[in-house]
């Protein structure tokens, strides 16, 4: 039995006890002596406190289990991401000898919009903003 199920059972039992005592107190009428009424009211107060404690314990347990599930899910997603990244790195390591490295020489970055431009395609003007390459544009 899980601890939240145990807490739920305790909560149900204390709630039933509290309701039974509350019903007994409601049945007090003018014929009941003061001592019996005081005893029933004290029992009601004790049952109410036990119910409130059980409810708080149950709520705490549920919140802790929910937080643990969220941590487990985040951990699982992180592991999947790491496995994917590792497999991507392993795959790129296998392909590295086949891939030719190209130089970025002559490429430039427009200082207006940050667009990286290929000199063969955009030698003088940025294709996105139309800015003419100037001394403020970074050239590789």
């Amino acid at each position: 039995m899980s601890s939240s199920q145990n807490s739920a059972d305790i909560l149900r039992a204390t709630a039933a006890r509290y309701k039974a005592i509350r019903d007994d107190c409601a049945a007090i009428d003018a014929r009941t002596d003061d001592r019996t009424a005081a005893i029933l009211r004290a029992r009601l107060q004790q049952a109410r406190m036990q119910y409130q404690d059980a409810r708080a314990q149950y709520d705490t347990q549920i919140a802790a289990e929910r937080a643990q599930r969220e941590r487990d899910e985040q951990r699982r997603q992180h592991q999947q991401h790491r496995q994917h990244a590792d497999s991507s790195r392993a795959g790129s390591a296998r392909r590295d000898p086949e891939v030719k490295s190209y130089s970025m020489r002559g490429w430039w970055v427009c200082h207006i919009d940050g667009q990286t431009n290929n000199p063969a395609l955009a030698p003088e003007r940025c294709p996105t903003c139309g800015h003419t390459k100037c001394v403020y544009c970074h050239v590789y």
Side-chain angles (χ1 to χ4, degrees):
M1 181 184 299
S2 71
S3 56
S4 63
Q5 182 63 35
N6 190 27
S7 295
D9 291 342
I10 292 170
L11 179 63
R12 277 192 288 277
T14 55
R17 183 169 178 258
Y18 170 65
K19 288 175 186 173
I21 294 173
R22 186 182 63 200
D23 292 344
D24 287 347
C25 286
I28 297 174
D29 58 18
R31 292 175 299 178
T32 307
D33 62 26
D34 291 339
R35 181 182 160 113
T36 304
I39 291 170
L40 285 174
R41 285 190 191 96
R43 289 169 79 194
L44 177 64
Q45 180 65 24
Q46 183 183 17
R48 181 183 300 131
M49 290 173 51
Q50 287 173 347
Y51 171 74
Q52 289 170 344
D53 290 346
R55 182 66 197 203
Q57 196 172 31
Y58 175 76
D59 290 343
T60 301
Q61 184 67 35
I62 293 298
E65 288 178 4
R66 184 177 299 128
Q68 183 63 43
R69 281 194 305 273
E70 289 172 1
R71 284 192 299 271
D72 290 345
E73 178 64 19
Q74 287 175 347
R75 192 175 299 121
R76 186 187 62 77
Q77 288 176 351
H78 179 70
Q79 287 173 345
Q80 284 179 341
H81 178 70
R82 190 169 4 139
Q83 287 171 351
H84 177 70
D86 290 347
S87 66
S88 296
R89 273 190 239 118
S92 67
R94 285 188 298 251
R95 290 189 297 262
D96 281 347
E98 301 170 9
V99 175
K100 295 179 181 177
S101 73
Y102 294 99
S103 171
M104 289 290 289
R105 185 172 184 195
W107 286 60
W108 59 283
V109 178
C110 176
H111 80 276
I112 300 295
D113 66 356
Q115 172 72 34
T116 302
N117 298 295
N118 182 341
L121 302 175
E124 297 299 322
R125 285 197 169 274
C126 177
T128 55
C129 70
H131 172 70
T132 304
K133 182 167 71 172
C134 66
V135 296
Y136 299 108
C137 295
H138 176 70
V139 178
Y140 290 99

